[in-house]
Amino acid sequence: MTAYKSSQETRRTAIPPKMLATNEMGGRQRVAYFEYIVPAGGVAVNDTIDLITLPLGARVLGGSIAFEAMSSGAGTSQLQIGTAASVNKYLDTTSVDAAGAALIANTIACGFGEELSADTLLIAKVLGEVWAAGKKLSGWIEYALD
């Protein structure tokens, strides 16, 4: 049987040992919470919502959203969560037509483990239909830092 090491354990046990970044070992786990209530008149398809800014150097550890039924009755309400450069980076197109919840940044393809190279604004993009007024979207994302 062969034993293998992670990138971090390889650096840690090297001779001489290499220090791990604090977002890899010994850092603090943080939670960034966000909440959005749809204003009167709703929000239109392709509108974006600024959710929260994560700091430079944060290592993304996943998160979750919860939402009320966003449907205004004209189609299927959907959203994506990501950044201005990649609107579906942390959550691909997901139905928010009925009340529910979804995981964000929960796979490598969805940004889990990513180390941010700059302050990064998370956004939600409205898809499918206009969201109904007064409905709430809230969530959190965990990250490691310092």
Side-chain angles (χ1 to χ4, degrees):
M1 179 172 84
T2 304
Y4 298 95
K5 294 180 180 182
S6 68
S7 301
Q8 291 73 19
E9 196 59 12
T10 299
R11 289 195 319 267
R12 192 190 69 75
T13 60
I15 299 175
K18 306 243 192 293
M19 294 291 294
L20 298 179
T22 56
N23 66 13
E24 295 175 306
M25 178 73 117
R28 295 181 184 168
Q29 185 172 337
R30 313 254 178 160
V31 176
Y33 176 81
F34 52 86
E35 177 180 271
Y36 177 74
I37 298 172
V38 180
V43 290
V45 174
N46 293 321
D47 281 354
T48 59
I49 302 158
D50 293 351
L51 299 175
I52 196 80
T53 299
L54 299 179
L56 162 73
R59 182 168 305 277
V60 176
L61 301 175
S64 180
I65 59 168
F67 43 86
E68 295 182 296
M70 298 297 192
S71 178
S72 60
T76 302
S77 299
Q78 300 171 321
L79 68 69
Q80 295 173 328
I81 294 180
T83 65
S86 179
V87 294
N88 66 341
K89 181 173 189 65
Y90 299 111
L91 180 66
D92 205 356
T93 305
T94 298
S95 176
V96 292
D97 212 46
L103 297 175
I104 58 175
N106 66 325
T107 66
I108 291 172
C110 289
F112 179 85
E114 172 189 33
E115 180 178 1
L116 302 178
S117 59
D119 287 353
T120 302
L121 175 63
L122 269 62
I123 63 170
K125 183 174 182 178
V126 177
L127 300 169
E129 71 166 313
V130 172
W131 287 4
K135 300 299 181 171
K136 183 163 64 169
L137 165 74
S138 60
W140 53 268
I141 189 160
E142 292 179 321
Y143 61 96
L145 193 66
D146 66 32

